[in-house]
Amino acid sequence: MKRFIIICSLIFLTSCSTNFNPSHYSVGDEYELINVSGNALELFPKADALYASQYIPPEIAEIAWNDTYILAKQIEKIDDPNNPDASVTNETTENYWIIDLKNNRRFGPYTKKQFEEQKQEFRIPKQVQLQNVKTYFTKEKQPS
């Protein structure tokens, strides 16, 4: 009887579903959003040794891409003066980045105004609009 209870318990425990929280999301063929801690996401090249300079630090809040460019909005973290081992989100400091996929170059950080000007200079289509990164992780969770 004890074996039966143990086996049933193991089956029950292993079949319980967990709250699936993906740790990465592919952005095009060469990049991925990686969950580094909590909700802090960074954009990193899949071939990190070759394109390590194209890295965009956490916390990426919004992203968009096409075959030519990746656009990203980053919320800058600052040190917490009360706890040197922690950081707090400074939501007033936003950095914008552009990665030119054809030439493997990263541009930024930009202010919002500089970012909009640079998008026009690069002739990035208006359809390539920044979206909250949670949108992509939600799409990935949905069953096909």
Side-chain angles (χ1 to χ4, degrees):
M1 184 66 173
K2 286 183 183 179
R3 285 185 180 171
F4 177 74
I5 292 173
I6 291 172
I7 291 172
C8 288
S9 297
L10 287 173
I11 292 171
F12 175 73
L13 290 174
T14 58
S15 67
C16 291
S17 66
T18 59
N19 184 9
F20 177 69
N21 188 12
S23 61
H24 67 281
Y25 183 87
S26 289
V27 176
D29 294 332
E30 299 175 14
Y31 290 83
E32 61 187 349
L33 281 170
I34 300 173
N35 189 343
V36 289
S37 68
N39 290 330
L41 295 166
E42 64 186 6
L43 183 68
F44 208 85
K46 290 179 182 177
D48 59 336
L50 186 57
Y51 302 112
S53 64
Q54 309 318 327
Y55 163 80
I56 297 178
E59 175 170 328
I60 296 176
E62 297 179 9
I63 195 164
W65 69 91
N66 64 11
D67 292 337
T68 311
Y69 296 101
I70 296 175
L71 311 176
K73 174 183 169 183
Q74 170 210 14
I75 299 174
E76 188 174 347
K77 296 263 191 176
I78 59 169
D79 291 335
D80 183 348
N82 300 322
N83 184 356
D85 295 328
S87 58
V88 293
T89 301
N90 180 358
E91 302 231 6
T92 60
T93 304
E94 298 174 344
N95 295 318
Y96 294 84
W97 302 83
I98 299 173
I99 295 177
D100 179 349
L101 296 172
K102 301 277 186 204
N103 298 307
N104 295 320
R105 295 202 52 205
R106 178 187 69 176
F107 299 93
Y110 295 122
T111 64
K112 176 75 171 172
K113 182 180 178 187
Q114 292 169 327
F115 176 69
E116 294 300 329
E117 290 170 355
Q118 204 62 41
K119 281 175 37 181
Q120 288 179 359
E121 188 174 314
F122 285 141
R123 294 186 179 112
I124 297 173
K126 294 186 184 216
Q127 298 88 335
V128 183
Q129 294 291 320
L130 292 171
Q131 292 186 29
N132 191 310
V133 292
K134 293 177 185 175
T135 305
Y136 298 104
F137 285 102
T138 303
K139 288 178 187 176
E140 189 172 88
K141 284 185 196 180
Q142 294 175 349
S144 308

